[in-house]
Amino acid sequence: MDKITIEGARTHNLKNVNVILPRDKLIVITGLSGSGKSSLAFDTLYIEGQRRYIESLSTFARRQIGDMAKPDIEDASGITPTISIEQKTAGKNPRSTVGTMTETYDYMRVLFARVGIPYCPVSGEAVLPQSKERIIRTIQSFPQGTKLILLAPYARNKRAEFKEDFQDLLRKGFTRARVDGTIVNLGDTEISLDGNVAHNVDIVIDRIKIDSVNNSRIAEAVISALNLGKGVCIAYISEKEEEQLFSMHAFSEKSGISYSALEPHDFSFNSPFGMCERCKGMGQINEFNLDLIINEDLSIAQDCCSIASSYSTVRYGNIYNNLARLYRFDVNTPWKKLPEKAKKVFLYGTEKKWTRMYFVHPDTGKDWIDHIQWQGVLHEAHSRFAEAKSDRYRKKMMELMNIQECPSCKGSRLKAYPAATLIQGKTIFQLTQMTISNCLQFFKNLKFSEKELLIAGELLKEIRERLHFLEEVGLHYLTLDRTAPTLSGGEAQRVRLASQIGCGLVGITYILDEPSIGLHPRDNKKLIQTLLALKNKGNTVIVVEHDEETILE
């Protein structure tokens, strides 16, 4: 069949229209406003193509998608599966960017994971592999008497019940595991994990006390943990409730920090593996405006911070007094006269995870000692805001906040370690901040060794092609990190057009809605060439358009 036939179309303004359209051609539907252009293209051709395609699916799939109403026509033939590329179809999700919409960023993630050079975000040096022997010596050199639990990572953010896994581990001689932070016995029949929720599982290899007598046992446990954890193990210090990662894959000499091997999901700001923990992969945070929440003429004892818990309460009065004693300031000093270190510890918390504090009840005189994890009044306020059920309270707090660049990731959306990975001096975030033209030029000029090209060759080809398509549809000025809600209708349509070309589908009917809107005449010629390229691949391209140049083409 070499033509699409529509008979008796009566949708909206169409008055019993019959149309015969040639297949595998560039077709323009034009006319006055209200003449029925969109009714024919989108409400008739597109809807009927979608409806027929869905009817070909299984009963289960149709039930999930739902039924589509048949357009008001007498008959149609020769219709292929249709894809509509309308304006303003990019969505409002700020997690969606030009890079993710065109899949360019997905290929870049794989490229950085496979051939990028990881750097330590603390020391700034390139991380290198380290031997099992070095890891063993480091753990053996922990302070004498330290009680350790050696763990081997088994699963990270994996949705499963792990019943069969636990049975298999029991048969291999492992009796305990740490599941979502809690140590459990693998033989316990009461262990029940929700398979729809992501879990973290680490296998307990051994519980050891650091002592020269136990050196051989420590070595044996570390080797076992590294083998099971595929080159990674965890030393958990129970007294301090702290843990240290040891990796054979990546180690920084200067900072003494180990890192796990990088995977493509580590570069995804939409994945728990890669997203910045502070902003959850958004690059921005709602942070309290200090000018609005602090009265500089009042002191901490006078509740100078409007969102902080009151000094008059027993718990927080004692915490503020302990902070004043430890960091040498006076809670009665006006805020504007406090040293910067005192302000910082009050607002953002202490560097130590746990701080030993001395408490006294003001009425009874009873005293006690407690260990407090002080993360600052801003963290406390954010926690209350996140848990708040009252819309009135949330609205009141929002009035005291500003949208700011995330201080942890500096807008990169990623965790510090993957974000520091370089390819020829550029991080993945720096590349996404470049314009499409500059980014394409960078990837065209990339030089790799023969060994690296075996890994990167196909990835580079896909990245260059997608960037080239974006440039060809007149979007050379956009950046890959530009979010979907900020795109204009025409830009969103051309981004989708570029991504469809990159898919390489054939035998499809593409329907576009005035793609030339807002384009410079020079870029309009590029757009027409792109539409022709889509047609030349074996597709039918139908465009609702007023542009004379496109009509003549």
Side-chain angles (χ1 to χ4, degrees):
M1 299 182 73
D2 59 354
K3 59 181 181 280
I4 299 169
T5 304
I6 300 287
E7 294 180 11
R10 291 182 291 272
T11 306
H12 303 318
N13 290 343
L14 302 176
K15 306 299 181 186
N16 207 34
V17 173
N18 300 327
V19 178
I20 297 173
L21 302 172
R23 288 259 291 269
D24 303 336
K25 299 289 183 182
L26 171 60
I27 300 163
V28 172
I29 300 176
T30 190
L32 297 173
S33 177
S35 60
K37 303 183 299 297
S38 296
S39 297
L40 177 60
F42 293 98
D43 300 325
T44 304
L45 282 166
Y46 169 64
I47 294 295
E48 183 63 9
Q50 284 278 294
R51 190 185 69 81
R52 292 191 179 194
Y53 174 69
I54 289 168
E55 279 187 354
S56 71
L57 302 176
S58 68
T59 307
F60 175 78
R62 291 202 306 274
R63 196 180 298 128
Q64 301 303 312
I65 296 169
D67 295 326
M68 293 190 73
K70 189 178 188 296
D72 190 0
I73 56 174
E74 288 178 8
D75 189 35
S77 62
I79 288 182
T80 67
T82 53
I83 292 177
S84 161
I85 307 179
E86 297 181 76
Q87 292 190 35
K88 298 178 181 175
T89 53
K92 296 182 179 180
N93 188 349
R95 291 189 177 279
S96 182
T97 66
V98 172
T100 59
M101 288 163 69
T102 58
E103 296 183 354
T104 310
Y105 190 76
D106 297 326
Y107 286 102
M108 287 169 64
R109 290 193 292 115
V110 181
L111 185 71
F112 268 79
R114 297 293 173 250
V115 297
I117 301 171
Y119 280 76
C120 173
V122 178
S123 66
E125 65 174 340
V127 295
L128 299 167
Q130 65 174 331
S131 65
K132 288 180 182 177
E133 290 73 23
R134 180 170 190 154
I135 295 172
I136 292 167
R137 285 200 304 272
T138 304
I139 294 176
Q140 287 174 341
S141 65
F142 278 14
Q144 293 289 299
T146 302
K147 293 178 181 178
L148 286 184
I149 300 176
L150 271 172
L151 303 152
Y154 186 78
R156 284 287 174 272
N157 286 298
K158 185 178 178 182
R159 294 182 183 184
E161 294 181 1
F162 294 101
K163 286 182 180 178
E164 292 180 8
D165 300 75
F166 291 164
Q167 290 301 317
D168 185 48
L169 288 164
L170 269 174
R171 285 192 291 271
K172 291 177 180 177
F174 300 104
T175 58
R176 289 185 179 86
R178 185 174 68 172
V179 180
D180 299 331
T182 305
I183 303 288
V184 297
N185 288 314
L186 295 178
D188 191 344
T189 55
E190 293 182 4
I191 297 176
S192 179
L193 300 181
D194 187 347
N196 297 315
V197 177
H199 301 286
N200 293 326
V201 179
D202 304 306
I203 307 305
V204 175
I205 304 299
D206 202 353
R207 296 167 180 255
I208 306 172
K209 186 176 182 180
I210 299 298
D211 195 312
S212 55
V213 178
N214 291 332
N215 277 349
S216 59
R217 182 180 165 186
I218 292 168
E220 187 181 336
V222 170
I223 291 168
S224 179
L226 291 171
N227 289 339
L228 187 63
K230 297 177 182 176
V232 179
C233 74
I234 299 165
Y236 178 75
I237 304 170
S238 41
E239 296 114 321
K240 295 182 179 180
E241 294 187 13
E242 292 176 359
E243 62 181 56
Q244 190 170 340
L245 180 88
F246 291 93
S247 169
M248 293 173 64
H249 309 295
F251 175 72
S252 168
E253 188 81 41
K254 289 182 182 175
S255 66
I257 300 173
S258 287
Y259 302 96
S260 55
L262 288 171
E263 294 294 333
H265 58 226
D266 291 317
F267 293 92
S268 172
F269 46 78
N270 292 326
S271 161
F273 293 100
M275 68 170 60
C276 167
E277 291 174 349
R278 177 81 182 270
C279 65
K280 304 302 179 191
M282 299 300 294
Q284 296 177 324
I285 57 168
N286 277 322
E287 189 54 272
F288 289 100
N289 185 336
L290 298 184
D291 293 333
L292 297 177
I293 64 171
I294 289 180
N295 184 338
E296 295 199 337
D297 295 322
L298 300 180
S299 66
I300 292 173
Q302 294 170 312
D303 293 333
C304 61
C305 181
S306 63
I307 61 167
S309 296
S310 176
Y311 179 80
S312 61
T313 61
V314 175
R315 175 178 170 78
Y316 286 95
N318 274 291
I319 288 174
Y320 301 155
N321 285 336
N322 274 277
L323 292 174
R325 175 177 56 81
L326 292 167
Y327 292 92
R328 297 179 181 176
F329 66 90
D330 191 338
V331 292
N332 295 302
T333 302
W335 180 267
K336 60 186 175 185
K337 294 183 180 179
L338 281 176
E340 283 303 313
K341 191 172 183 181
K343 293 178 180 179
K344 190 175 178 182
V345 78
F346 178 74
L347 292 172
Y348 303 105
T350 58
E351 291 180 6
K352 288 174 68 177
K353 188 172 181 181
W354 296 99
T355 305
R356 190 172 185 268
M357 292 190 178
Y358 178 72
F359 283 68
V360 179
H361 196 287
D363 298 330
T364 63
K366 183 183 177 182
D367 62 341
W368 68 96
I369 290 172
D370 201 354
H371 288 80
I372 302 297
Q373 187 178 4
W374 177 245
Q375 295 175 285
V377 296
L378 294 182
H379 179 271
E380 300 258 323
H382 276 295
S383 298
R384 289 196 299 273
F385 177 75
E387 294 166 6
K389 299 275 194 310
S390 166
D391 290 336
R392 185 178 176 185
Y393 173 79
R394 292 179 67 85
K395 187 178 178 182
K396 183 182 175 184
M397 289 296 103
M398 286 293 290
E399 290 172 356
L400 303 174
M401 293 179 178
N402 289 333
I403 295 176
Q404 301 175 15
E405 182 184 82
C406 174
S408 296
C409 66
K410 310 296 183 195
S412 75
R413 301 177 169 218
L414 298 172
K415 289 178 181 175
Y417 170 53
T421 304
L422 300 180
I423 288 182
Q424 293 197 5
K426 298 288 184 184
T427 65
I428 194 168
F429 177 55
Q430 287 171 334
L431 292 178
T432 60
Q433 287 184 302
M434 291 182 179
T435 62
I436 300 295
S437 293
N438 292 340
C439 196
L440 178 58
Q441 204 57 46
F442 174 85
F443 281 106
K444 280 182 177 177
N445 296 334
L446 265 185
K447 297 288 187 294
F448 286 119
S449 66
E450 285 186 27
K451 185 180 177 182
E452 287 173 327
L453 269 177
L454 287 172
I455 304 167
E458 283 299 312
L459 295 169
L460 279 175
K461 176 174 169 287
E462 293 288 347
I463 292 168
R464 287 167 182 163
E465 278 187 359
R466 279 162 168 74
L467 291 172
H468 174 71
F469 295 145
L470 284 166
E471 193 171 54
E472 286 300 294
V473 294
L475 298 175
H476 52 87
Y477 58 91
L478 286 183
T479 59
L480 289 175
D481 67 348
R482 179 82 174 265
T483 57
T486 65
L487 296 173
S488 70
E491 286 172 338
Q493 187 180 29
R494 292 193 290 278
V495 167
R496 281 200 64 205
L497 176 60
S499 65
Q500 287 298 330
I501 299 168
C503 290
L505 292 173
V506 295
I508 302 292
T509 298
Y510 287 99
I511 303 177
L512 291 89
D513 182 18
E514 299 187 50
S516 67
I517 280 183
L519 272 185
H520 189 279
R522 177 192 63 234
D523 294 325
N524 200 30
K525 288 184 172 65
K526 288 183 177 181
L527 175 65
I528 291 170
Q529 292 307 310
T530 303
L531 296 175
L532 290 171
L534 200 57
K535 179 210 62 164
N536 292 336
K537 283 187 175 183
N539 299 298
T540 306
V541 182
I542 299 174
V543 186
V544 175
E545 187 60 272
H546 296 284
D547 176 62
E548 184 182 3
E549 199 172 6
T550 311
I551 296 168
L552 293 174
E553 196 62 53

